[in-house]
């Protein structure tokens, strides 16, 4: 028996996660989409590990005397991915929380990575006009215009 349904579900989950990362502009939703992709990988690893590989590897099936158990590498990798995902969520949510405290928004499009204004407050950065032309290519080291408000 070939486990086609878990593979299809994993592919759909991963595709949905990719769509969420590419389409969503809310940082929390992007984090959730990344988690969806990690869970799709987990499902794929567990399914691949549970698939009957004994025939393909030339081993006798489990339960037969003298048959060595197959290594549970898929499950071990899944546990590793779960631990990495937990750490990623912790760090990601801390970054999103700090972003909200500094800028007043978690919208990815409103975050300007080319301006460093730690003293400007959240609303000055969001309300600042976007840089265009040659000013957009030069990095700014000083406060944003209107930062003294």
């Amino acid at each position: 028996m070939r486990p086609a349904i878990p593979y299809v579900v994993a592919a759909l989950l991963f595709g949905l996660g990719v769509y969420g990362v590419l389409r969503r502009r809310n940082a929390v939703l992007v984090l959730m989409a990344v988690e969806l992709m990690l869970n799709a990988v987990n499902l794929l690893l567990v399914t691949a590990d549970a698939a009957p590989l004994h025939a393909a590897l030339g081993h006798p099936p489990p339960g037969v005397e003298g048959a060595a158990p197959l290594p549970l590498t898929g499950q071990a990798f899944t546990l590793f991915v779960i631990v990495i995902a937990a750490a990623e969520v912790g760090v990601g949510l801390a970054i999103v929380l700090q972003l909200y405290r500094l800028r007043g928004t978690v919208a990815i499009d409103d975050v300007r990575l080319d301006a460093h204004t730690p003293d400007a407050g959240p609303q000055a950065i969001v309300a600042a006009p976007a840089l265009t032309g040659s000013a957009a290519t030069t990095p700014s080291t000083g406060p944003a215009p209107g930062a003294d408000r």
Side-chain angles (χ1 to χ4, degrees):
M1 180 179 110
R2 296 186 185 267
I5 292 176
Y7 288 135
V8 171
V9 170
L12 289 175
L13 283 176
F14 195 83
L16 196 60
V18 168
Y19 175 76
V21 167
L22 294 177
R23 186 72 179 147
R24 294 292 183 173
R25 296 296 162 231
N26 188 327
V28 175
L29 294 179
V30 170
L31 269 176
M32 290 175 64
V34 169
E35 290 300 316
L36 203 58
M37 289 192 294
L38 287 174
N39 285 330
V41 170
N42 285 340
L43 180 62
L44 186 67
L45 287 172
V46 168
T47 303
D49 191 40
L53 296 176
H54 54 81
L57 297 175
H59 294 280
V64 175
E65 287 187 32
L70 294 174
L72 301 174
T73 54
Q75 295 172 2
F77 279 127
T78 300
L79 286 175
F80 181 72
V81 170
I82 288 172
V83 169
I84 295 297
E88 177 256 335
V89 164
V91 171
L93 286 178
I95 290 172
V96 169
L97 182 63
Q98 189 65 23
L99 178 71
Y100 181 74
R101 286 181 179 166
L102 287 176
R103 312 271 168 118
T105 182
V106 291
I108 295 173
D109 290 338
D110 294 339
V111 176
R112 294 180 47 201
L113 298 176
D114 59 344
H116 177 66
T117 56
D119 298 330
Q123 295 304 320
I125 296 171
V126 174
L131 296 176
T132 59
S134 63
T137 58
T138 57
S140 174
T141 56
D148 55 341
R149 286 187 272 168

